[in-house]
């Protein structure tokens, strides 16, 4: 009897000591590594998204969450070096048009039928102190400049401080304004790793204006890729590796996709009234109760107008108040600068696909990582969840794009940065932790 | 090591060459005992557990014996642990005490490192009373908290959009009646009235200039069930128990949600305060146990608890006037089994020492673990005892360690992944008065 009791006692004591020994709630540290990549000197070349341009301006908070900065913070865990970017002063920031950042407001319509969200400038103008030259203080790692097209990276005049000659947002940190070029400045750090996102503004400057060819044109694909190839030649000449980001489609960008082509909601009475009006003007324009296609300007028709077709797009820049209260889209045709016609959409989409195909071959032949953000943002048309928060490309509620509908929000930057990290981890056999997207501020609602 | 000792311990029951059924029920008794032992032996190896948010501390004395108390069921603790044993107590008694839990959980996020839950002590009332009406019947009442879970994370932690603070507890009041069917067999039972309180706070996706909206959801409900117990005592040495606690439906009809940091343009969609309804099912529990007086001073007990957690599949929060707030927590719990062992040693006339170990499995599948209740398989270790001061007054004390295994999870509905580790130190005291 005593024997059995002793055995039980021993068992209890042994278990107790094992238990008490494991009485802690902390974890062992995870070991990360950079794999085949070298993050000691990282540079970024790009335009809006890489510069941290958001809400129509370059401002401190969004810059601090720019994709290259988010990535460099992660790279620091695996031996990455310092990453300098030309920060603007805290405050309203500075946009490409000398404007301040925009903030979301809620407005009541002038005809009193509801409220709508519209971003409004935080101040009359941007903070001009941000044009103070910083290029003599440091060599910068983030060479991304809002509004930059492929041709601009080799242009000396792009760094001219005069907004008529160059881009003040590059001039402010160019190593030698008026003489240096972005591609030249990119080599100053002797980069070991580069990230590139170019081509956005080559295509979208045209799209943002509603496809106004008199003003701006999409860079021809062969010109684009020639410039790209030259840049890659100079960057890879010293054994640097890198990651390239491709171009998203307009349907995944809320600036183009937020307002549905048939967003015109009419009651039975309103529809009947409009049909009566149009019966004499243009009977091919018809309305019914429910959702209808907007009326847009078309100089090729006899009446100078027609109804928009599925696949054509209405831009977010359209005055909401006029849409709701002053007959815009019903009796007043929507002008071309707020519309992308089928031909324009087709032009843009084809160029995006062409650019992306050329970018993919460059990555393939040079053995560089490709972040297919085009595919990623397209997939975000469907909701995804991150640590309990929903994200999609829907305007405002989706949280990925900022209030201007075109530039990424801080959380959107983090999501894209995570996709790039996944590619880097896989392509370069690295083990780098992803970013906690939700810790960055979401869209602030008024 | 355990599994070598167990058959050895139980082999003692078989070393009984001159045993003969002494009275009518004895042959049946032996058969049931043998079945139970075989059941325990075959089930022992891999999967067993009851876990979830059940409390393993429902009485100071029962906790001290590792929870393997249904076949022991002494004192007024028998009201809760096995109503069938109530008439087997010598005296009526009243017991008043409290149970304290100190849980600590850590979460390792793949993105943002380690987070610790806030350390706090949770207290619950332990009360039971047993009155011997006559030799054949007894009545009693028990008040404790068999379902309790509490956790609080920091306001800004990585899982704030899922849970910041979560409380779920059901206090059970059980008036009970027990009848002595025969010299060795007793039954008992009674209704169970459950008083539930649920609280959840979390961040909500939209932000105002002061930060993300925070929602606090508070709901109370009264639920009903019943408890039954069978107790078989064969001579002085062998006790057997079979108990059943029914499932209870917690139906929160008038929950109140309070929202802060609501952007003024969204107050229409997110009014505060606003009502919500929610409901969920608490599981039923079947327990089977055996206690054996090994020597004059040492008693050993073993108990199997089968908990029907499958009924706890989701908790839906429905808002009449704020539809956008509606959300569902996918639980997808599975039925579980727990195995508990207890020992009681009569040191002298004044002191009885108790101890126990237990293995409690988790009902939560890997893809449904939420930070509200980061459950996992646990190892229970208990120590305690009873000190007798006078013939009437005694004190039960118990300490219990719940050591949860580390668990790596990916909650698919919330896309929230990481590793959890939990330890809970629990203790309780109860003062008994026998009359």
């Amino acid at each position: 009897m005593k024997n059995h009791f002793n055995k039980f006692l021993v068992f209890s004591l042994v278990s107790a000591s094992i238990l008490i020994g494991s009485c802690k709630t902390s974890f062992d540290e995870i070991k990360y590594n950079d794999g085949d990549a070298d993050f000691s000197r990282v540079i970024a070349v790009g335009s809006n998204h890489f510069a941290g341009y958001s809400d129509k301006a370059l401002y401190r908070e969004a810059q601090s969450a720019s994709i290259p900065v988010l990535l460099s913070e992660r790279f620091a865990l695996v031996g990455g070096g310092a990453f300098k970017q030309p920060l603007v002063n805290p405050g309203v920031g500075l946009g490409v048009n000398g404007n301040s950042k925009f903030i979301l407001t809620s407005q009541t319509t002038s005809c009193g039928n509801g409220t709508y969200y519209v971003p409004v400038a935080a101040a009359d103008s941007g903070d001009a102190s941000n044009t103070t030259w910083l290029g003599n203080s440091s060599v910068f790692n983030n060479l991304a400049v809002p509004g930059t097209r492929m041709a601009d990276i080799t242009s000396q005049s792009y760094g001219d401080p005069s907004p008529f000659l160059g881009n003040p947002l590059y001039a402010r940190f160019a190593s030698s304004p008026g003489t240096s070029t972005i591609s030249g400045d990119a080599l100053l750090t002797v980069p070991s790793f580069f990230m590139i996102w170019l081509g956005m503004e080559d295509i979208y400057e045209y799209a943002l204006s509603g496809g106004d060819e008199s003003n701006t044109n999409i860079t021809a694909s062969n010109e684009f890729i020639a410039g790209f190839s030259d840049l890659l030649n100079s960057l890879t000449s010293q054994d640097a590796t890198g990651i390239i980001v491709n171009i998203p489609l307009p349907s995944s960008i809320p600036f183009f996709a937020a307002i549905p082509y048939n967003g015109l909601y009419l009651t039975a009475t309103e529809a009947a009234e409009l049909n009566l009006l149009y019966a004499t003007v243009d009977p091919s324009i018809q309305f019914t109760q429910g959702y209808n296609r907007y009326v847009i300007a078309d100089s090729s028709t006899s009446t100078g107008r027609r109804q928009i077709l599925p696949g054509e797009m209405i831009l977010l820049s359209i005055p909401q108040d006029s849409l709701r209260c002053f007959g815009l889209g019903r009796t007043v045709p929507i002008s071309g600068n707020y519309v992308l016609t089928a031909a324009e959409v087709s032009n843009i989409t084809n160029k995006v696909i062409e650019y992306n195909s050329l970018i993919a071959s460059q990555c393939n032949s040079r053995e560089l990582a490709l972040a297919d953000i085009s595919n990623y943002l397209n997939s975000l048309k469907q909701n995804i969840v991150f640590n309990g928060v929903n994200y999609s490309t829907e305007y405002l509620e989706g949280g990925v794009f900022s209030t201007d509908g075109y530039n990424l929000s801080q959380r959107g930057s983090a999501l894209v940065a995570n996709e790039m990290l996944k590619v880097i981890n896989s392509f370069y056999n690295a083990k780098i932790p992803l970013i906690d997207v939700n810790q960055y501020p979401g869209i602030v609602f008024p | 090591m355990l599994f070598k000792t167990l058959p050895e311990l139980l082999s003692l029951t078989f070393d009984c060459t001159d045993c003969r059924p002494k009275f009518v029920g004895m042959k049946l008794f032996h058969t049931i005992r043998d079945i139970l032992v075989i059941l325990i032996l075959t089930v022992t190896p891999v999967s067993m557990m009851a876990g979830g948010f059940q409390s393993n501390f429902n009485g100071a004395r029962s906790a001290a014996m590792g929870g393997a108390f249904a076949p022991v069921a002494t004192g007024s603790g028998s009201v809760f642990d096995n109503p069938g044993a109530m008439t087997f107590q010598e005296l009526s008694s009243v017991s008043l005490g409290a149970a304290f839990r100190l849980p600590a959980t850590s979460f390792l996020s793949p993105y943002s490192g380690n987070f610790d839950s806030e350390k706090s002590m949770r207290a619950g009332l332990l009360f039971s009373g047993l009155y011997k009406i006559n030799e054949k019947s007894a009545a009693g009442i028990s008040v404790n908290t068999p379902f309790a879970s509490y956790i609080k994370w920091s306001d800004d932690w990585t899982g704030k959009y899922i849970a910041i603070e979560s409380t779920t507890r059901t206090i059970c009041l059980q008036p009970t009646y027990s009848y002595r069917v025969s010299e060795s067999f007793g039954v008992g039972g009674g209704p169970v009235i459950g008083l539930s309180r649920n609280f959840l706070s979390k961040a909500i996706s939209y932000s105002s200039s002061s930060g993300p909206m925070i929602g606090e959801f508070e709901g109370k409900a009264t639920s009903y069930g019943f408890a039954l117990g069978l107790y078989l005592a064969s001579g002085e040495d062998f006790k057997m128990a079979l108990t059943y606690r029914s499932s209870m439906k917690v139906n929160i009809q008038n929950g109140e949600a309070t929202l802060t940091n609501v952007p003024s343009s969204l107050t229409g969609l997110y009014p505060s305060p606003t009502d919500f309804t929610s409901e969920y099912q608490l599981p039923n529990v079947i327990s089977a146990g055996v206690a054996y007086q090994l020597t004059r001073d040492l008693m050993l007990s073993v108990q199997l608890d089968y908990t029907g957690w499958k009924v706890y599949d989701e908790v839906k929060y429905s808002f009449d006037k704020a539809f956008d707030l509606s959300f569902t927590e996918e639980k997808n719990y599975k039925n579980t089994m727990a195995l508990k062992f207890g020992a009681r040693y009569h040191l002298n006339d004044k002191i009885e020492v108790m101890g126990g170990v237990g293995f409690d499995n988790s009902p939560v599948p890997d893809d449904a673990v939420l930070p509200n209740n980061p459950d996992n398989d646990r190892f229970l270790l208990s120590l305690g005892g009873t000190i007798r001061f006078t013939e009437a007054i005694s004190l039960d004390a118990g300490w219990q360690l719940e050591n949860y295994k580390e668990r790596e999870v990916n909650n698919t509905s919330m896309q929230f992944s990481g590793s959890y580790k939990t330890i809970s130190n629990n203790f309780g005291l109860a003062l008994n008065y026998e009359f």
Side-chain angles (χ1 to χ4, degrees):
Chain A
M1 293 299 158
K2 198 149 186 256
N3 226 10
H4 291 285
F5 173 67
N6 279 347
K7 278 192 185 164
F8 183 76
L9 193 65
V10 169
F11 165 72
S12 311
L13 288 174
V14 170
S15 320
S17 49
I18 291 170
L19 279 182
I20 288 162
S22 65
C23 238
K24 59 183 181 75
T25 59
S26 59
F27 293 93
D28 292 327
E29 261 185 60
I30 305 176
K31 296 275 178 282
Y32 300 116
N33 76 81
D34 55 4
D36 309 325
D38 175 9
F39 301 118
S40 40
R41 297 167 315 280
V42 179
I43 58 125
V45 177
S47 58
N48 302 27
H49 295 323
F50 271 4
Y53 200 74
S54 193
D55 300 313
K56 293 201 206 185
L58 204 59
Y59 64 97
R60 175 66 72 104
E61 290 86 351
Q63 254 194 318
S64 306
S66 70
I67 293 166
V69 164
L70 294 178
L71 288 174
S72 68
E73 283 166 358
R74 277 318 195 218
F75 294 159
L77 296 172
V78 292
F83 190 86
K84 290 184 128 108
Q85 76 175 358
L87 287 173
V88 294
N89 300 321
V92 300
L94 186 64
V96 287
N97 297 322
N99 55 292
S100 78
K101 74 175 191 188
F102 276 56
I103 49 180
L104 196 65
T105 63
S106 177
Q107 310 281 344
T108 331
T109 59
S110 4
C111 45
N113 65 346
T115 59
Y116 60 97
Y117 285 118
V118 64
V120 157
D124 285 339
S125 70
D127 183 356
S129 72
N130 289 319
T131 53
T132 311
W133 185 49
L134 301 171
N136 55 345
S137 64
S138 176
V139 168
F140 291 104
N141 299 78
N142 193 354
L143 285 312
V145 177
T148 301
R149 300 166 67 116
M150 182 54 79
D152 299 326
I153 64 168
T154 47
S155 155
Q156 289 178 312
S157 60
Y158 195 61
D160 194 306
S162 159
F164 300 105
L165 293 170
N167 185 343
L169 294 180
Y170 170 49
R172 60 184 283 269
F173 73 93
S175 62
S176 177
T179 335
S180 60
T181 62
I182 291 177
S183 60
D185 283 352
L187 297 171
L188 292 176
T189 52
V190 190
S192 60
F193 189 86
F194 54 87
M195 52 184 97
I196 304 176
W197 197 347
L198 286 167
M200 282 293 294
E201 313 318 315
D202 295 79
I203 296 177
Y204 283 100
E205 211 179 296
Y206 166 84
L208 289 166
S209 65
D212 181 3
E213 280 176 4
S214 66
N215 199 6
T216 171
N217 241 316
I218 299 182
T219 309
S221 310
N222 58 343
E223 270 175 52
F224 169 75
I225 206 63
F228 211 121
S229 183
D230 287 343
L231 175 65
L232 289 175
N233 282 339
S234 64
L235 287 174
T236 55
S237 64
Q238 312 242 302
D239 290 334
T241 53
I243 183 165
I244 320 280
V245 183
N246 64 9
I247 319 296
L249 290 161
S251 57
S252 47
I253 300 174
F255 189 83
F256 307 104
I259 300 174
Y261 74 96
N262 61 348
L264 177 57
Y265 186 81
L266 297 170
T267 61
T269 327
E270 289 170 326
E273 274 169 17
L274 281 169
N275 283 334
L276 207 58
L277 269 171
Y278 274 97
T280 48
V281 172
D282 185 343
S284 66
I285 295 178
Q286 301 250 325
F287 301 94
T288 60
Q289 186 213 356
Y291 289 101
N292 290 273
R293 300 181 283 137
Y294 289 104
V295 175
I296 62 172
D298 187 342
S299 53
S300 71
T301 67
S302 55
T303 53
R305 67 184 69 193
R306 64 167 168 89
Q307 271 179 304
I308 195 172
L309 294 166
E312 297 187 316
M313 296 171 155
I314 309 255
L315 308 190
L316 203 58
S317 45
I318 195 168
Q320 288 276 344
D321 200 43
S322 308
L323 268 182
R324 292 178 195 225
C325 299
F326 297 108
L328 185 62
R330 309 179 193 204
T331 51
V332 179
I334 301 174
S335 55
N337 56 331
Y338 299 127
V339 176
L340 285 177
T341 61
E344 289 163 346
V345 172
S346 181
N347 189 15
I348 294 163
T349 309
N350 288 340
K351 284 291 187 299
V352 168
I353 294 170
E354 263 174 53
Y355 276 30
N356 286 347
S357 158
L358 292 167
I359 290 171
S361 345
Q362 284 288 321
C363 285
N364 225 345
S365 61
R366 295 173 190 269
E367 286 177 9
L368 295 170
L370 172 68
D372 193 354
I373 295 304
S374 184
N375 190 41
Y376 177 65
L377 287 175
N378 195 48
S379 71
L380 281 191
K381 285 177 190 165
Q382 307 296 321
N383 218 22
I384 57 142
V385 186
F386 183 95
N387 281 12
V389 179
N390 292 328
Y391 290 102
S392 75
T393 54
E394 206 181 313
Y395 180 57
L396 298 179
E397 275 137 51
V400 175
F401 286 88
S402 75
T403 61
D404 61 34
Y406 174 71
N407 295 300
L408 293 170
S409 66
Q410 290 179 54
R411 286 183 175 179
S413 275
L415 284 168
V416 170
N418 273 349
E419 288 308 300
M420 291 173 70
L421 279 173
K422 288 180 194 170
V423 170
I424 289 171
N425 279 340
S426 143
F427 195 87
Y428 292 110
N429 299 313
K431 188 167 181 213
I432 304 171
L434 300 187
I435 297 160
D436 192 350
V437 177
N438 300 344
Q439 82 183 60
Y440 294 94
I443 305 235
V444 173
F445 282 80
Chain B
M1 195 182 160
L2 166 70
F3 307 126
K4 257 174 67 179
T5 336
L6 177 57
E8 282 171 20
L9 281 172
L10 291 171
S11 71
L12 295 165
T13 71
F14 295 103
D15 282 340
C16 194
T17 48
D18 59 8
C19 268
R20 262 193 304 268
K22 288 193 174 57
F23 16 93
V24 180
M26 203 45 177
K27 208 166 186 179
L28 176 68
F29 174 82
H30 277 287
T31 321
I32 294 171
R33 177 200 66 192
D34 292 352
I35 292 170
L36 202 67
V37 166
I38 292 163
L39 197 68
I40 291 166
L41 288 175
T42 49
V43 162
T44 312
V46 182
S47 93
M48 330 168 262
M49 285 334 340
F53 51 91
Q54 273 190 92
S55 168
N56 277 312
F57 209 108
N58 294 315
R61 197 180 291 178
S62 78
M65 282 197 71
F69 201 64
V72 180
T74 54
S76 55
S78 57
V79 177
F80 179 81
D81 284 284
N82 189 350
M86 286 163 66
T87 56
F88 287 76
Q89 311 310 313
E90 268 188 52
L91 300 165
S92 305
S93 59
V94 167
S95 174
L96 179 65
F100 302 92
R101 293 185 72 231
L102 283 98
T105 302
S106 287
F107 177 74
L108 183 66
S109 154
Y111 314 117
S112 28
N114 188 65
F115 294 89
D116 291 327
S117 68
E118 280 184 21
K119 302 260 188 299
S120 73
M121 184 155 80
R122 315 304 298 165
L125 177 70
L126 296 172
F127 175 76
S128 54
L130 187 156
Y131 181 68
K132 290 203 70 174
I133 300 169
N134 54 45
E135 278 311 304
K136 278 225 170 245
S137 56
I141 183 142
S142 154
V143 181
N144 55 13
T145 316
F147 293 98
S149 156
Y150 174 79
I151 198 159
K152 183 169 194 304
W153 301 96
S154 66
D155 285 351
D156 211 34
W157 86 297
T158 188
K160 66 180 185 244
Y161 290 97
I162 302 164
I164 294 174
E165 186 178 338
S166 170
T167 305
T168 182
R169 65 105 173 107
T170 300
I171 297 174
C172 286
L173 274 73
Q174 185 188 314
T176 315
Y177 176 75
S178 182
Y179 184 68
R180 186 78 166 254
V181 175
S182 74
E183 178 70 29
S184 54
F185 183 53
V187 300
V192 176
I193 301 153
L195 303 173
S196 304
R197 177 183 177 243
N198 269 71
F199 177 80
L200 174 69
S201 74
K202 62 177 190 161
I204 298 168
S205 204
Y206 300 124
S207 305
S208 69
S209 49
S210 356
M213 286 202 283
I214 307 284
E216 293 183 331
F217 308 98
E218 168 102 44
K220 291 194 157 101
T222 307
S223 51
Y224 304 94
F226 63 90
L228 292 171
L230 300 180
Y231 184 76
L232 219 66
S234 144
E236 291 299 312
D237 292 352
F238 236 112
K239 317 269 190 275
M240 270 179 42
L242 190 65
T243 67
Y244 180 76
R245 304 187 61 79
S246 77
S247 171
M248 299 201 292
K249 182 150 162 195
V250 178
N251 194 354
I252 297 170
Q253 284 300 304
N254 298 307
E256 188 176 273
T258 314
L259 307 170
T260 45
N261 285 348
V262 182
S264 37
S265 64
L266 291 173
T267 49
L269 279 180
Y270 297 97
S272 174
T274 190
D275 300 328
F276 72 92
T277 58
S278 180
E279 69 172 35
Y280 59 90
Q281 195 93 356
L282 289 171
N284 55 4
V285 187
I286 304 171
S287 301
V290 168
Y292 183 65
Q293 194 74 38
L294 198 62
T295 69
R296 189 198 58 172
D297 297 323
L298 178 68
M299 185 200 23
L300 301 174
S301 64
V302 59
Q303 181 170 321
L304 263 176
D305 295 332
Y306 182 79
T307 310
W309 274 114
K310 200 149 177 230
V311 298
Y312 192 64
D313 53 5
E314 68 175 24
V315 181
K316 209 187 261 190
Y317 288 73
S318 305
F319 297 80
D320 254 350
K321 297 180 212 102
F323 184 72
D324 273 21
L325 269 175
S326 300
F327 62 96
T328 304
E329 286 178 340
E330 301 284 340
K331 301 289 183 181
N332 300 329
Y333 279 29
K334 306 204 177 323
N335 292 342
T336 54
M337 281 256 256
L339 182 65
K340 298 169 181 176
F341 297 93
R344 182 183 72 192
Y345 187 71
H346 184 88
L347 200 63
N348 57 43
D349 281 341
K350 295 222 182 302
I351 300 177
E352 276 190 330
V353 177
M354 296 161 194
V357 294
F359 306 89
D360 202 350
N361 266 1
S362 172
V364 194
D366 270 345
D367 63 0
V369 180
L370 286 171
N372 317 27
N373 183 34
D375 198 45
N376 198 9
D377 301 350
R378 344 170 187 174
F379 191 109
L380 308 168
L381 179 70
S382 309
L383 276 177
T386 304
I387 304 172
R388 181 159 292 282
F389 297 114
T390 72
E391 267 201 40
I393 301 174
S394 59
L395 179 74
D396 299 327
W399 166 76
Q400 175 190 75
L401 175 73
E402 290 183 290
N403 189 6
Y404 295 57
K405 254 168 65 178
E406 189 177 305
R407 183 170 206 176
E408 197 177 321
V409 299
N410 180 19
N411 186 300
T412 43
S413 65
M414 300 286 183
Q415 285 302 302
F416 185 71
S417 57
S419 300
Y420 293 98
K421 174 84 182 99
T422 303
I423 294 217
S424 186
N425 264 293
N426 313 321
F427 62 95
L429 289 169
L431 198 61
N432 311 307
Y433 178 71
E434 288 164 276
F435 57 95

